[in-house]
């Protein structure tokens, strides 16, 4: 799936393709994780959270640098201009044409309406300055108004009617209290008086108290205020809102003026209560003393950004009338802002006009926070995906290239020794199966006498003719230059053994595997959906990819280091686990002998290089897994996402080096099945599930996004209701650069390896044709149509270059285009898109179209002859042919060089 990712990472799901093969001991962990890759998807998805998306720049008189506050924007009113656009326009525009929110003077509400709620109570009607008791002008002003007593949008409407250009609503303790207002009853006739907001006979029983956990948390600080102090100093029954603003003097601060500090249950209130504000909860307790003194509970208040939501009671005309921008700041921010305003006002009064800046007001400007116009991480993740798909597919055909390069090196060495004639003779003889090229022994025969095929999990070596045998000293030369070894082997006509670390299991997929894939993938997805065992995937990924990391990165790297240091002992088998010692210990009997023989049988000769590479790899994997289980949002950890990306690349290389497709027919079946599978679980399952959930998206988000309100999760992020939405690790992730909303662009490994199987087939088909052409005496340059039918150069081939260098290059380009289309569709449609919806037609369609134009579709449709011939050359045995004509064509393919070049 591809979805637009806004501000938090989201899950990537994985399924399993269970290969019907025996897994060797050296690749068990890699294959376990490789099976999980096939259902991971490209997912870039949004998450909900309360973000402060606006900035308020406060410019003090005589101070060149503004003070900046962050604020959350309202869902009503006009939008703010971006910071960069606002600065460029404010410098070149007059005050009358400046954008909304720019170049304003901060102001306070009328003294008789501190909450700007008199209009909502019906006490007055504002029209410009009319109804304003203070008679001051609010032209080009931003009014700072405390939260409470009426809705946010009502406040904004009143501010606009007073002539203000913007409104800044700030948090207050008073907003957490209200009265259960009712009209009083006329005792004489039983009628009601219209005095609900003006009555002075409300009691403490009419107060609506703050809500536990939502407005305060006693775990962050708790106090018990004596009843006499509560009665004498605090008032919660003042009309119309109930809360008396004078209460702030006794409930705010870190000194003993704050009753919560003075009467705290312990001495940790100041350090535990971050807001330094407390709320009386309305709960009382009886002192255990003999006098039975009652005390009132007070607890630490929350002070977070909130959403300024709309008022559904407003009429349509009133909603349309609100056009000024509105933002929200916290109680702490408001206190700092109001202190600045009071300080500047006091300074102007004291200067009496002597100071050059006397009378200059504070100027503020409100902007929407800048976000990058181009999501660079999305471009990087696209490039990374294309690169890994290309690299993994390219490396999957390395055995053919190594053999071909060895032949070229041999020709060069022979030419130096005997001239050009010897080169031609040697190469031709090698192509005809002459004695100059020593081939490895044939693979073990099946019960019917024919060689075992690769589809039956035949163990192979990627450089069967390119490894050096153990030396007389018992040293095993690991990762010797493949081409040097291959050339030496070909020249000296000696049989060689495969390298220990290059032994691989190879599975050739057929049509039955494609059907098996959809069954197991669906089963895995449903198991994760119903049983929520998402941590199992993390464990498989950590340990499976650790093995791939050791195989792909650490073994070659450490070998290179040891070579440069000329340190040979780490590459020699450890004496304690040599075959001789294991056999001797086993013959002596006992537990030790059994353990040593078991280890030797399972791992083979073990070198210090083995121990070092695997220790480092699994230590990295274990650290990654620890972060995954202990850090709340591990995707923000640099080590975590870098290791995850490296692990993912290693797993893709391992997967495509192990799983093969040798027929376009199998690729078509597999990719078509995956195509409809992806669409079904993204778009169709919402119509079938109880709550309209997409099963794939639900699993991708670890059971869906957090169930709790975002404001709750901001206070209690470790709450069960706030869990979910964290990505499973079967993906590449690149954090967004320069984006205050955070998040990351993500690419699932499944969208690399599934199309990558087709890219790998194209790479191996091209290299097989090059190899067979070289063996036949040609130059080893691919010309499409070499499968027995020559293709004429058309203007289309010449213009786009698709017909000149084989299939691999054009199919990689098609993959890049399809991946770019998938990303573009997300931003154009603003909805999730199955990536395979674009990748399958682009890649498969390009391959089939080119094969048909080149006259090779029939050949590559089912087990191409070039690959069969190359496999027979490298791995021994004969080319299996379905009929006499096919056998004759295969013979021509090996012996007639003209067709291959």
């Amino acid at each position: 799936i591809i979805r637009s990712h806004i501000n938090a990472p989201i899950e990537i799901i994985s399924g399993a393709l269970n290969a019907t093969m025996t897994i060797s001991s050296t690749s068990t962990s890699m294959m376990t994780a490789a099976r999980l890759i096939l259902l991971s998807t490209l997912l870039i998805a949004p998450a909900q959270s309360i973000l402060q998306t606006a900035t308020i720049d406060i410019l003090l008189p005589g101070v060149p640098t503004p003070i900046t506050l962050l604020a959350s924007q309202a869902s009503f009113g006009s939008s703010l201009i971006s910071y960069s656009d606002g600065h460029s326009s404010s410098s070149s525009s007059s005050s009358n044409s400046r954008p909304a929110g720019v170049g304003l003077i901060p102001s306070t509400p009328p003294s008789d309406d501190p909450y700007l709620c008199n209009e909502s109570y019906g006490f007055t009607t504002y029209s410009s300055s009319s109804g304003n008791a203070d008679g001051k002008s609010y032209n080009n002003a931003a009014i700072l108004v405390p939260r409470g007593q009426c809705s946010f949008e009502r406040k904004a409407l009143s501010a606009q009617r007073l002539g203000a250009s913007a409104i800044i609503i700030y948090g207050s303790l008073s907003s957490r209290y209200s009265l259960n207002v009712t009209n009083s009853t006329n005792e004489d006739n039983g009628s009601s008086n219209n005095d609900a907001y003006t009555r002075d006979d409300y009691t403490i029983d009419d107060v609506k108290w703050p809500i536990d956990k939502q407005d305060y948390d006693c775990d962050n600080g708790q106090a018990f205020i004596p009843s006499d102090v509560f009665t004498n100093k605090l008032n919660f029954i003042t009309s119309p809102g109930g809360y008396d603003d004078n209460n702030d003097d006794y409930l705010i601060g870190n000194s003993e003026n704050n009753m919560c500090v003075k009467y705290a249950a312990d001495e940790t209130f100041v350090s535990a209560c971050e807001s330094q504000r407390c709320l009386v909860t309305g709960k009382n307790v009886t002192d255990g003393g003999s006098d039975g003194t009652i005390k009132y509970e007070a607890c630490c208040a929350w002070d977070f950004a909130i959403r300024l939501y709309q008022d559904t009671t407003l009429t349509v005309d009133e909603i349309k009338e609100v056009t000024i921008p509105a933002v929200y700041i916290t109680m702490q921010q408001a206190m700092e802002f109001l202190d600045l305003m009071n300080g500047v006002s006091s300074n102007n009064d004291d200067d009496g006009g002597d100071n050059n800046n006397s009378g200059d007001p504070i100027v503020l400007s409100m902007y929407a926070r800048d976000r990058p116009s181009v999501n660079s991480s999305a471009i990087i993740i696209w490039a990374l995906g294309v690169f890994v798909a290309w690299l993994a597919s390219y490396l999957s055909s390395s055995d053919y290239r190594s053999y071909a390069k060895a032949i070229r090196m041999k020709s060069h060495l022979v030419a130096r020794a005997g001239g050009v004639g010897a080169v031609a003779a040697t190469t031709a003889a090698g192509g005809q199966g002459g004695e100059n090229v020593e081939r490895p022994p044939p693979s073990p025969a099946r019960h019917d006498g024919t060689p075992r095929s690769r589809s039956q999990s035949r163990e192979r070596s990627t450089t069967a003719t390119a490894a050096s045998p153990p030396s007389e000293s018992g040293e095993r030369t690991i990762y010797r230059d493949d081409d040097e070894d291959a050339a030496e082997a070909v020249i000296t006509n000696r049989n060689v053994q495969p390298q220990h670390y290059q032994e691989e299991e190879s599975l050739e997929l057929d049509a039955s595997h494609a059907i098996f894939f959809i069954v197991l993938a669906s089963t895995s997805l449903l198991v994760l959906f119903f049983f929520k065992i998402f941590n199992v995937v993390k464990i498989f990924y950590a340990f499976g990819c650790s093995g791939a990391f050791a195989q792909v990165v650490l073994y070659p790297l450490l070998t290179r280091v040891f070579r440069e240091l000329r340190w040979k002992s780490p590459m020699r088998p450890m004496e304690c686990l040599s075959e001789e010692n294991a056999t001797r210990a086993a013959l002596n009997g006992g537990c030790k002998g059994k353990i040593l023989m078991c280890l030797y049988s399972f791992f083979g000769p073990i070198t210090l290089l083995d121990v070092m590479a695997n220790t480092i790899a699994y230590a990295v994997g274990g650290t990654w897994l620890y972060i995954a289980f202990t850090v709340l949002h591990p995707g923000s950890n640099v080590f975590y996402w870098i290791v995850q990306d490296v692990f993912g690349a290693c797993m893709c290389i391992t997967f495509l080096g192990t799983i093969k497709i040798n027929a376009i027919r199998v690729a078509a079946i597999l990719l078509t099945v995956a195509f409809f599978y992806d669409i079904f679980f993204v778009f169709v399952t919402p119509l079938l599930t109880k709550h309209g959930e997409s099963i794939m998206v639900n699993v991708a988000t670890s059971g869906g996004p957090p169930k709790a309100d975002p404001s709750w999760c901001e206070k209690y992020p470790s709450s069960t209701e706030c869990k979910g939405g964290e990505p499973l690790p079967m993906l590449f992730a690149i954090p967004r650069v320069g984006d205050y909303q955070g998040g990351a662009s993500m690419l699932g490994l499944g969208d690399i390896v599934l199309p990558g199987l087709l890219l790998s087939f194209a790479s191996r088909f091209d290299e097989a044709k090059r190899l067979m052409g070289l063996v036949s005496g040609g130059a080893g340059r691919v010309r499409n149509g070499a499968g027995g039918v020559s293709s004429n150069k058309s203007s289309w081939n010449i213009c786009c270059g698709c017909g000149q260098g084989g299939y691999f290059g054009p199919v990689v380009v098609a993959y890049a285009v399809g991946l770019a289309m998938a990303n573009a569709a997300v931003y154009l449609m603003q909805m999730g898109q199955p990536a395979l919806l674009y990748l399958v037609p682009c890649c498969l369609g390009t391959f089939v179209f080119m094969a048909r134009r080149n006259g090779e579709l029939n050949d590559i449709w089912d087990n191409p002859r070039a690959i069969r011939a190359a496999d027979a050359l490298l791995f021994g045995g004969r080319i299996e042919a379905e009929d006499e004509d096919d056998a004759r064509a295969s013979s021509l393919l090996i012996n007639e060089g003209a067709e291959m070049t």
Side-chain angles (χ1 to χ4, degrees):
I1 306 171
I2 310 175
R3 301 184 70 185
S4 59
H5 182 72
I6 297 180
N7 53 14
I10 288 290
E11 303 291 322
I12 301 301
I13 69 160
S14 304
L17 172 60
N18 190 5
T20 53
M21 58 180 287
T22 303
I23 302 176
S24 71
S25 60
T26 58
S27 59
T28 302
S29 59
M30 291 182 290
M31 287 301 299
T32 300
R35 292 190 187 112
L36 291 173
I37 293 179
L38 290 182
L39 291 186
S40 61
T41 53
L42 182 69
L43 180 66
I44 310 174
Q48 295 181 344
S49 67
I50 298 175
L51 288 176
Q52 294 171 299
T53 59
T55 62
I56 303 175
D57 280 358
I58 305 171
L59 189 61
L60 301 177
V63 180
T65 304
I67 299 172
T68 301
L69 300 179
L70 297 181
S72 55
Q73 294 187 65
S75 58
F76 52 84
S78 61
S79 300
L80 295 173
I81 193 171
S82 69
Y83 187 86
S84 55
D85 292 341
H87 273 270
S88 61
S89 61
S90 62
S91 60
S92 59
S93 304
S94 63
S95 59
N96 294 329
S97 61
R98 285 176 180 170
V102 177
L104 305 180
I105 308 300
S107 184
T108 55
S111 58
D112 63 336
D113 190 8
Y115 289 87
L116 278 187
C117 292
N118 282 353
E119 269 197 313
S120 64
Y121 296 149
F123 295 166
T124 187
T125 299
Y126 291 127
S127 175
S128 187
S129 297
S130 66
N132 176 4
D134 298 335
K136 61 181 178 182
S137 172
Y138 288 99
N139 183 38
N140 199 39
I143 304 181
L144 273 76
V145 183
R147 176 189 179 189
Q149 298 192 16
C150 61
S151 69
F152 302 124
E153 198 164 7
R154 286 281 184 187
K155 295 175 185 287
L157 180 61
S158 294
Q160 179 170 320
R161 287 174 175 173
L162 282 170
S165 300
I167 183 172
I168 301 174
I169 301 174
Y170 59 88
S172 65
L173 296 180
S174 61
S175 65
R176 305 297 83 206
Y177 298 88
S178 63
L179 288 174
N180 186 20
V181 292
T182 56
N183 293 325
S184 62
T185 303
N186 190 313
E187 296 180 358
D188 294 334
N189 56 22
S191 62
S192 296
N193 297 320
N194 189 20
D195 59 355
Y197 295 107
T198 58
R199 290 174 55 187
D200 58 3
D201 57 348
Y202 285 112
T203 67
I204 199 71
D205 295 331
D206 296 316
V207 177
K208 293 181 179 179
W209 301 97
I211 301 173
D212 187 18
K213 305 302 181 185
Q214 178 176 314
D215 299 321
Y216 64 87
D217 191 338
C218 294
D219 292 336
N220 295 334
Q222 186 180 37
F224 295 97
I225 303 173
S227 58
D228 57 335
V229 177
F230 175 86
T231 303
N232 294 331
K233 294 187 177 181
L234 300 177
N235 182 6
F236 297 95
I237 55 175
T238 300
S239 296
Y243 185 90
D244 190 330
D245 290 336
N246 292 323
N247 293 345
D248 286 353
D249 296 336
Y250 304 103
L251 298 175
I252 296 177
N254 55 12
S255 68
E256 289 199 356
N257 288 334
N258 184 345
M259 292 184 182
C260 291
V261 175
K262 185 175 182 178
Y263 300 107
D266 53 50
E267 297 179 355
T268 63
F269 183 89
V270 173
S271 59
C273 184
E274 185 177 353
S275 69
Q276 302 295 300
R277 289 161 172 79
C278 62
L279 292 170
V280 178
T281 65
K283 302 175 184 178
N284 57 66
V285 296
T286 302
D287 195 342
S290 58
D291 58 352
T293 303
I294 295 177
K295 295 184 177 182
Y296 289 87
E297 181 188 56
C299 296
C300 180
W302 289 114
D303 187 20
F304 284 109
I306 63 170
R307 289 195 180 104
L308 298 184
Y309 43 82
Q310 290 182 314
D311 185 350
T312 57
T313 65
L314 292 178
T315 65
V316 175
D317 291 337
E318 287 175 327
I319 293 173
K320 292 180 179 179
E321 187 179 349
V322 180
T323 58
I324 62 173
V327 297
Y328 179 89
I329 58 177
T330 65
M331 291 185 280
Q332 182 65 32
Q333 290 175 315
M335 183 179 70
E336 295 171 358
F337 197 168
L338 292 172
D339 285 346
L340 290 174
M341 292 176 60
N342 293 333
V344 170
S345 176
S346 175
N347 183 57
N348 289 339
D349 293 340
D350 293 341
D351 287 342
D354 295 333
N355 192 296
N356 291 332
N357 294 321
S358 177
D360 290 345
I362 294 177
V363 177
L364 66 84
S365 297
M366 301 189 299
Y367 306 103
R369 296 174 68 181
D370 280 334
R371 298 189 64 194
S373 57
V374 176
N375 185 4
S376 58
S377 64
I379 299 174
I380 295 173
I381 205 73
W382 170 84
L384 178 62
V386 173
F387 173 75
V388 172
W390 167 81
L391 179 62
S393 303
Y394 178 80
L395 293 178
S396 68
S397 59
S398 59
D399 45 4
Y400 297 155
R401 276 191 302 277
S402 296
Y403 199 97
K405 194 168 184 180
I407 292 177
R408 291 190 183 95
M409 186 176 292
K410 172 191 173 180
S411 301
H412 176 69
L413 295 175
V414 172
R416 290 169 58 186
V420 177
V423 176
T426 303
T427 305
Q432 297 170 5
E435 296 302 322
N436 288 321
V437 177
E438 183 69 24
R439 299 182 182 177
S443 57
R446 299 197 298 259
H447 65 276
D448 58 358
T450 60
R452 186 185 301 272
S453 68
R454 295 175 66 181
S455 62
Q456 293 175 286
S457 305
R458 172 178 49 80
E459 185 177 289
R460 67 177 178 85
S461 168
T462 57
T463 54
T465 62
S468 58
S471 64
E472 295 179 0
S473 62
E475 177 182 343
R476 195 157 47 89
T477 305
I478 301 171
Y479 283 100
R480 183 183 176 188
D481 189 286
D482 293 339
D483 303 318
E484 295 175 3
D485 287 338
E488 181 182 348
V490 172
I491 292 173
T492 58
N493 297 327
R494 56 177 169 82
N495 289 320
V496 294
Q497 300 297 323
Q499 296 179 39
H500 174 68
Y501 293 108
Q502 292 295 328
E503 294 176 357
E504 297 178 354
E505 286 292 344
S506 174
L507 171 66
E508 181 182 326
L509 298 184
D510 56 28
S512 63
H513 289 107
I515 305 302
F516 199 46
F517 158 77
I518 193 64
V519 174
L520 286 181
S522 301
T523 303
S524 301
L525 194 61
L526 293 174
V527 167
L528 289 172
F529 178 73
F530 287 109
F531 295 100
K532 314 298 183 186
I533 50 174
F534 306 113
N535 286 338
V536 174
V537 178
K538 296 180 180 179
I539 296 173
F540 281 171
Y541 187 85
F543 291 101
C545 290
S546 294
F549 179 57
Q551 184 83 2
V552 175
V553 176
L554 294 179
Y555 280 127
L557 178 63
L558 292 176
T559 300
R560 176 72 66 178
V561 171
F562 293 151
R563 280 182 174 178
E564 294 295 328
L565 297 176
R566 300 185 180 276
W567 188 17
K568 297 181 180 180
S569 59
M571 294 183 285
R572 296 192 182 104
M574 298 175 68
E575 190 67 27
C576 60
L577 288 176
S578 65
E579 181 178 12
E580 180 181 356
N581 284 345
T583 303
R584 184 185 304 112
L587 292 176
N588 292 335
C591 182
K592 178 180 178 181
K594 293 179 180 180
I595 293 175
L596 288 178
M597 181 53 68
C598 181
L599 290 174
Y600 180 81
S601 301
F602 192 76
F603 293 109
I606 298 178
T607 67
L608 181 60
L609 176 63
D610 296 331
V611 176
M612 294 178 65
N614 283 282
T615 299
I616 295 173
Y618 284 95
V620 172
T623 304
W624 180 91
L625 189 62
Y626 174 80
I627 295 174
F629 284 152
T630 58
V631 176
L632 185 61
H633 296 294
S636 60
N637 184 287
V638 176
F639 173 85
Y640 182 89
W641 67 261
I642 289 179
V643 170
Q644 180 173 301
D645 290 351
V646 174
F647 273 13
C650 293
M651 183 51 64
C652 289
I653 294 172
T654 301
F655 185 92
L656 294 181
T658 304
I659 308 297
K660 308 289 185 183
I661 287 181
N662 278 348
I664 199 70
R665 173 179 62 87
V666 177
I669 294 174
L670 177 62
L671 292 178
T672 302
V673 166
F675 175 83
F676 287 107
Y677 161 86
D678 209 8
I679 294 174
F680 174 80
F681 278 102
V682 174
F683 292 143
V684 179
T685 53
L687 306 177
L688 306 177
T689 54
K690 181 178 180 181
H691 300 290
E693 294 178 293
S694 167
I695 290 180
M696 185 172 287
V697 173
N698 179 278
V699 173
T701 56
S702 292
K707 307 269 188 311
D709 183 84
S711 61
W712 175 271
C713 293
E714 192 168 9
K715 300 166 188 171
Y716 305 101
S718 59
S719 173
T720 303
E721 295 81 4
C722 296
K723 293 182 179 178
E726 284 300 318
L728 288 178
M730 308 301 292
L731 53 90
F732 291 130
I734 302 293
R736 289 193 168 185
V737 179
D739 192 339
Y740 71 90
Q741 293 188 359
S745 295
M746 303 179 187
L747 172 63
L749 303 185
D751 293 322
I752 294 177
V753 297
L754 282 176
L757 291 169
L758 184 64
L759 270 64
S760 173
F761 173 61
S763 175
R764 289 183 297 105
F765 182 58
D766 288 350
E767 294 299 336
K769 290 201 296 182
R770 289 189 180 96
L771 174 61
M772 297 315 298
L774 190 64
V775 168
S776 301
R781 292 189 296 271
V782 171
R783 177 171 61 84
N784 287 329
V789 179
S790 298
S791 60
N792 295 325
K793 294 182 180 179
S794 64
S795 58
W796 182 88
N797 283 337
I798 295 174
C799 289
C800 72
C802 292
Q804 304 302 308
Y807 294 92
F808 182 52
V811 176
V812 170
V813 172
Y815 175 84
V817 171
L819 195 58
M821 290 172 59
N823 279 282
V826 173
Y827 295 99
L828 293 176
M829 301 181 186
Q830 291 297 304
M831 63 179 296
Q833 301 291 318
L836 294 180
L837 179 66
Y838 303 91
L839 292 173
V840 171
C842 285
C843 297
L844 188 60
T846 299
F847 204 141
V848 172
F849 176 75
M850 289 184 59
R852 185 169 182 82
R853 287 186 63 90
N854 296 330
E856 295 180 311
L857 184 58
N858 291 336
D859 179 48
I860 68 172
W861 184 252
D862 194 4
N863 208 358
R865 294 193 303 272
I867 291 181
R868 282 182 285 151
D871 286 349
L873 179 65
L874 267 67
F875 308 120
R878 62 183 179 86
I879 305 175
E880 299 178 17
E882 296 181 357
D883 50 38
E884 184 178 347
D885 292 338
D886 196 18
R888 187 181 305 110
S890 298
S891 177
L892 290 173
L893 186 65
I894 295 179
N895 295 308
E896 296 184 8
E899 283 189 333
M900 309 312 296
T901 57

